[in-house]
Amino acid sequence: MSNIAFIGLGNMGGPMAANLVKNGHSVIGFDLSEIALQTLKEAGGQVADSALAAAQDADVVISMLPSGKHVAELYCENFINSLKPNTLLIDSSTIDAVTARSVAELAISKGCKMIDAPVSGGTSGAQAGTLTFIVGGKQEDYEKARPILKCMGQNIFHAGESGAGQVAKICNNMLLAIHMIGTSEAINLGVRHGLNPQVLSEIMQKSSGKNWSLDVYNPYPGVMENAPASRNYSGGFAVDLMTKDLGLAAEAGLETKTSTPLGNTALNLYRMWSGAGNGKIDFSSIIQFLNAEA
């Protein structure tokens, strides 16, 4: 069992830290939210009054932060210099690959080990311990992290060297946004022609249009009981988070001169939907934007 510092105890980080506690690890967390800290206490973890204090005696440091800026600010030289030699750093934030590589290079130069390990599976996966981790970093560091990650997820992939986890994550989320928009367009078209959305969804699930959005995350209200669409698009993966990930994909495309016309269209649609005041609701709510009268 390890002494683990967990920095960032929000909707994803909080349940992830709680699952580490359930699996017998000693977890000390830090977050700016007092409610998040109290929740970790109730789950059996300890709390610190700063990230530095949390990480002081840790064998492993895990972070789940909003952006690359926050990750770079956390893993600064002062923070890394305060850690024990060979501390394993796991950043599960979804950020740009350039920042991921930069902080890993600094950490390794100071005698630490570091991987980027962004996740897929949403808040429900974080709570159930069924997340998918997409890892970038050295093979030996991936192997060292794997038992820790297995306490929080079911599927662990090594995508390649530092930054590779971030690239694979944004590729996945770009595709997710594209097929969510396509699914929404198709269902809207059928409903406008008088079809039952549940029947149409079942038909497409058994046909060549089958995809994840249809199978487990239907965007039409009432079709799938446990989907955010059936609880007024609350919970789930926020529009603003999808917009952020699509922005990262667009930046990655520019860096490598890769054409991503559908990804860029998805980014523009989600930006408009967020700009209309819908940034905090689930990304499947894009069906409402597309359902507006033409």
Side-chain angles (χ1 to χ4, degrees), residues 68-259:
K69 174 187 173 184
H70 297 97
V71 171
E73 287 174 352
L74 173 64
Y75 294 109
C76 64
E77 192 161 353
N78 182 53
F79 179 84
I80 292 173
N81 281 339
S82 73
L83 302 176
K84 296 192 301 187
N86 291 314
T87 301
L88 173 62
L89 312 179
I90 301 173
D91 180 44
S92 287
S93 319
T94 297
I95 62 171
D96 61 287
V98 172
T99 299
R101 294 182 187 117
S102 174
V103 295
E105 184 178 342
L106 175 62
I108 292 166
S109 74
K110 298 293 183 178
C112 292
K113 303 175 185 300
M114 187 165 196
I115 62 170
D116 46 285
V119 302
S120 180
T123 53
S124 60
Q127 290 160 4
T130 58
L131 292 169
T132 293
F133 284 89
I134 310 164
V135 178
K138 294 181 180 178
Q139 180 70 34
E140 58 265 34
D141 297 341
Y142 162 74
E143 296 295 346
K144 184 177 180 181
R146 188 176 171 82
I148 302 290
L149 300 180
K150 288 293 285 183
C151 295
M152 302 177 285
Q154 284 185 339
N155 303 299
I156 321 291
F157 295 100
H158 186 215
E161 295 300 314
S162 293
Q166 300 295 349
V167 174
K169 170 67 187 291
I170 61 175
C171 289
N172 177 78
N173 278 20
M174 182 177 72
L175 178 58
L176 170 60
I178 291 167
H179 69 60
M180 178 58 77
I181 291 169
T183 297
S184 297
E185 285 190 357
I187 293 175
N188 279 341
L189 179 61
V191 169
R192 290 286 183 93
H193 279 267
L195 296 184
N196 181 307
Q198 185 157 5
V199 172
L200 176 59
S201 295
E202 289 173 358
I203 290 168
M204 293 192 292
Q205 281 178 291
K206 301 298 182 183
S207 304
S208 55
K210 176 183 172 69
N211 64 68
W212 185 87
S213 294
L214 278 171
D215 282 351
V216 301
Y217 219 84
N218 197 292
Y220 201 91
V223 171
M224 196 166 282
E225 183 180 348
N226 295 321
S230 296
R231 52 176 190 265
N232 202 28
Y233 300 102
S234 63
F237 188 63
V239 167
D240 280 348
L241 293 176
M242 178 56 84
T243 304
K244 183 196 86 168
D245 289 0
L246 287 166
L248 291 173
E251 290 173 12
L254 289 172
E255 288 167 11
T256 53
K257 297 182 180 179
T258 304
S259 177

